[in-house]
Amino acid sequence: MNINPRFSFLRKTVLLCLSFLFIYSSQVYAQADLASIPKITIVVGFPPGGGVDIVGRLVAEKLSIMLNKPVIVENKPGASSGIATKYVASAKPDGQTIFVNSNSMLVNQLMNPDSGYDVNRDLAPIGKFFSQANILVANNDLPANNLSELIALAKKQDITFSSPGIGSIPHLAAERLLTVNSNIKVRHIPYPGASPALASAIGGQVQLASVSAPTAVNFIKGGKLKGLVVTSAQRVSSLPNVPTAIELGYKGFAVETWGGFFAPVATPKSIIYALENAITKIMTEPEMKEKLINLGFELVIVKPDTFQQEINEELKTWKDLLGKIKLNDN
């Protein structure tokens, strides 16, 4: 059947106009539902300088401009983000307090049943927006320049590594890679965040650090640390010379740290969806996407309901893994 060219052009024009109308109305809808909120605090469960903190600050700056109101970042580090998670869980559900965190809080909940929070009971997902590879970096004086040399060295001498905390995803990634898969003994020294963990490796207090890749990019490029391996399925674009564990023979090995935003569980759905709309717009701006990629992040957009399902599945996965790994500070 032949379609009149004029009708086809008209149809495309109408669809294009509807698309622009949808985008515009979504932005107006978001701003309208957040208009009565005097200010927004984005809580971060780690010290300044970590991957979650970096994204939290980038979003806060853009969100403040978009909504024409104060949006501040408040760091509440400790207990692998458990302190911040409990704080947000008990906050007033009015949209003034939101939370950016990683899957570390799922592990923390499983490790500490008396942590005072339950992710499913106390938090409402706004959306998952980014993921980070984890990376194993070494002090420049360590006589090992790749993973195989590290494994050989660990069989001759004691090796210590730092992480952003017991049960953090970088900690689990290192334990799984080195202790479980490589069958070597390494001693874990936990720190309250990626920045102090990296500082300990640079200063020689430990020989290795396992952190999220974005926190280590500048130190590797600046020659202050050596990148040995990333735990993502693909190489990190900002660190193209650092191989993946899969490339090094660890079939199917991939452990990534995702990041998402949350609100107290009783927060009205209209506010949840308005925040989701606003943060999605910010994260998908070309300038923001380029900045995140250069820092070592990967953009991932997952809506609240799907994100909740993923959290439920991941809780089961970590529960199984925790049964195989001894998590303490040796």
Side-chain angles (χ1 to χ4, degrees), residues 81-160:
S81 79
I83 291 173
T85 308
K86 185 177 179 180
Y87 173 82
V88 175
S90 60
K92 192 174 180 180
D94 56 5
Q96 293 194 63
T97 303
I98 62 175
F99 191 29
V100 58
N101 204 356
S102 71
N103 36 353
S104 287
M105 70 177 176
L106 306 185
V107 178
N108 189 57
Q109 174 180 314
L110 293 169
M111 287 176 55
N112 303 290
D114 299 325
S115 60
Y117 72 85
D118 181 285
V119 172
N120 287 333
R121 182 193 66 208
D122 299 323
L123 297 177
I126 295 170
K128 180 164 75 173
F129 294 99
F130 62 97
S131 68
Q132 315 162 68
N134 299 293
I135 188 168
L136 191 66
V137 297
N139 177 277
N140 283 334
D141 293 332
L142 185 73
N145 296 310
N146 54 54
L147 189 57
S148 61
E149 290 179 359
L150 172 64
I151 292 169
L153 186 65
K155 294 177 179 178
K156 300 174 184 177
Q157 68 179 62
D158 290 338
I159 298 291
T160 56

Side-chain angles (χ1 to χ4, degrees), residues 3-55:
I3 300 176
N4 189 310
R6 291 178 61 188
F7 175 78
S8 179
F9 173 78
L10 180 61
R11 181 173 177 272
K12 290 179 181 178
T13 303
V14 170
L15 289 174
L16 185 62
C17 290
L18 288 173
S19 297
F20 280 121
L21 180 62
F22 174 77
I23 293 170
Y24 174 75
S25 62
S26 295
Q27 292 175 24
V28 172
Y29 171 79
Q31 293 183 15
D33 279 281
L34 301 175
S36 62
I37 300 173
K39 75 171 184 178
I40 295 174
T41 298
I42 299 177
V43 177
V44 178
F46 303 96
V52 171
D53 177 76
I54 289 170
V55 174

Side-chain angles (χ1 to χ4, degrees), residues 38-84:
K39 75 171 184 178
I40 295 174
T41 298
I42 299 177
V43 177
V44 178
F46 303 96
V52 171
D53 177 76
I54 289 170
V55 174
R57 292 181 185 279
L58 289 172
V59 169
E61 181 183 358
K62 297 279 189 180
L63 193 60
S64 179
I65 295 169
M66 177 188 290
L67 302 177
N68 193 29
K69 67 182 64 191
V71 180
I72 63 171
V73 172
E74 184 174 349
N75 296 85
K76 288 186 172 293
S80 291
S81 79
I83 291 173

Side-chain angles (χ1 to χ4, degrees), residues 136-200:
L136 191 66
V137 297
N139 177 277
N140 283 334
D141 293 332
L142 185 73
N145 296 310
N146 54 54
L147 189 57
S148 61
E149 290 179 359
L150 172 64
I151 292 169
L153 186 65
K155 294 177 179 178
K156 300 174 184 177
Q157 68 179 62
D158 290 338
I159 298 291
T160 56
F161 80 96
S162 62
S163 83
I166 298 174
S168 63
I169 302 303
H171 174 208
L172 290 181
E175 292 281 8
R176 182 179 163 192
L177 179 65
L178 301 176
T179 305
V180 177
N181 291 43
S182 302
N183 197 30
I184 60 173
K185 183 172 176 57
V186 289
R187 187 159 61 94
H188 177 228
I189 310 295
Y191 283 80
S195 292
L198 286 164
S200 70

